[in-house]
Amino acid sequence: MPSKKALVRRPSPRLAEGLVTHIEREKVDADLAGEQWEAYVEALREHGWETIEVDPADDCPDSVFVEDTVVMYRNVALIARSGAEERREETAGVEEAVARLGCSVNWIWEPGTLDGGDVLKVDDTIYVGRGGRTNAAGVQQLRAAFEPLGARVVAVPVSRVLHLKSAVTALPDGTVVGHIPKVDRPALFPRFLSVPEESGAHVVLLGGDKLLMAASAPKTADLLADLGFEPVVVDISEFEKLEGCVTCLSVRMRDLYA
Ligand SMILES: NC(=O)NCCC[C@H](N)C(=O)O
């Protein structure tokens, strides 16, 4: 049975200073964010995930968005190099955590930039968003790291949102879901389902038909339930104010060689 481990990282006391790029800044309630983070972690645990806390990075406001720091494929952890310089110090603790788990570690190097939020895996196809945070050299380095291991890397333009996974994610059957106004090229995905809300495009596969989703996408939750999936809903409003999604608050590790 595949392992179900997930990296998470406690919010920094400086969370409210996190970056915003495509939306207006709104005041973040740090206490509420802490409660929402605990509930998110609990939802992962309740569905069979062993959560592993990366050492906190209190000086890095965006460190809770741990998914951006590393891309996992099989047993290899590719440490990212964010397109936002402010986020580059976040990787040190993550590197230690993945090494402790026995992963092989590889790195995105200058001049490459890549955020984990730009990488969507659907079986052995790895879609990578070329956008504000991931550049062409980052795409090439991702290819060089993972194609020899059996992946096919498909580059996708991203201009309307922060990351590829802010625009699209995938259901357990591989269908890509996205809110059309935010997706540059829906035709690049072989099976695409349009959803009625922007945050409805963000699903975390918990196992089986269960999908972790944000409370801000009730119509999409209904649509997906009607298609036979089981939405598990968490409120992440304080992270959404910083352009965070359910996907970016953890790194799911399904294929660890352990
Ligand atoms: N993968 C993600 O969706 N990450 C969200 C990162 C939000 C953070 N405020 C940032 O701008 O980097």
Side-chain angles (χ1 to χ4, degrees):
M1 194 174 136
S3 63
K4 283 174 72 172
K5 290 189 168 64
L7 299 181
V8 292
R9 200 173 213 179
R10 201 164 277 282
S12 151
R14 293 178 53 192
L15 175 71
E17 299 166 47
L19 299 172
V20 284
T21 309
H22 293 265
I23 59 175
E24 293 288 317
R25 185 173 288 281
E26 275 185 74
K27 197 168 164 8
V28 171
D29 179 333
D31 291 337
L32 180 56
E35 287 166 26
Q36 291 179 343
W37 182 80
E38 297 284 356
Y40 174 93
V41 173
E42 191 49 38
L44 289 175
R45 288 195 190 123
E46 271 173 18
H47 293 88
W49 291 81
E50 179 190 344
T51 54
I52 296 161
E53 262 197 61
V54 177
D55 289 346
D58 285 353
D59 287 337
C60 301
D62 281 308
S63 51
V64 70
F65 304 117
V66 65
E67 178 194 58
D68 291 324
T69 57
V70 62
V71 180
M72 291 298 308
Y73 181 69
R74 301 189 187 279
N75 203 55
V76 176
L78 179 62
I79 302 295
R81 181 168 182 272
S82 181
E85 277 185 38
E86 299 91 325
R87 297 201 56 190
R88 294 205 183 137
E89 284 179 18
E90 293 173 29
T91 54
V94 173
E95 203 174 309
E96 277 172 34
V98 293
R100 254 185 259 132
L101 286 168
C103 300
S104 297
V105 183
N106 200 344
W107 292 267
I108 296 287
W109 298 103
E110 192 179 3
T113 66
L114 180 133
D115 275 14
D118 275 320
V119 180
L120 171 66
K121 285 174 286 178
V122 184
D123 299 320
D124 286 322
T125 300
I126 302 183
Y127 295 100
V128 53
R130 161 67 181 103
R133 295 284 174 87
T134 295
N135 65 13
V139 171
Q140 283 166 350
Q141 292 178 27
L142 180 83
R143 244 189 217 123
F146 292 146
E147 286 200 336
L149 304 181
R152 188 175 52 135
V153 173
V154 177
V156 179
V158 172
S159 67
R160 303 176 188 180
V161 280
L162 185 62
H163 290 127
L164 174 64
K165 272 192 287 191
S166 322
V168 293
T169 59
L171 298 172
D173 62 13
T175 301
V176 169
V177 286
H179 182 56
I180 286 283
K182 300 294 175 185
V183 185
D184 284 68
R185 307 271 172 85
L188 282 174
F189 306 103
R191 276 202 310 283
F192 182 84
L193 174 68
S194 167
V195 296
E197 293 134 327
E198 181 173 348
S199 58
H202 314 143
V203 300
V204 168
L205 308 188
L206 289 173
D209 290 325
K210 295 204 167 71
L211 309 173
L212 189 64
M213 297 183 62
S216 55
K219 290 184 195 149
T220 309
D222 285 348
L223 170 71
L224 296 177
D226 192 49
L227 291 174
F229 297 102
E230 287 182 59
V232 172
V233 175
V234 285
D235 189 352
I236 54 158
S237 62
E238 301 316 290
F239 302 106
E240 289 174 327
K241 290 176 182 169
L242 297 165
E243 289 178 279
C245 325
V246 278
T247 49
C248 59
L249 294 170
S250 61
V251 179
R252 280 79 55 201
M253 308 170 105
R254 294 181 174 85
D255 302 309
L256 286 183
Y257 187 82

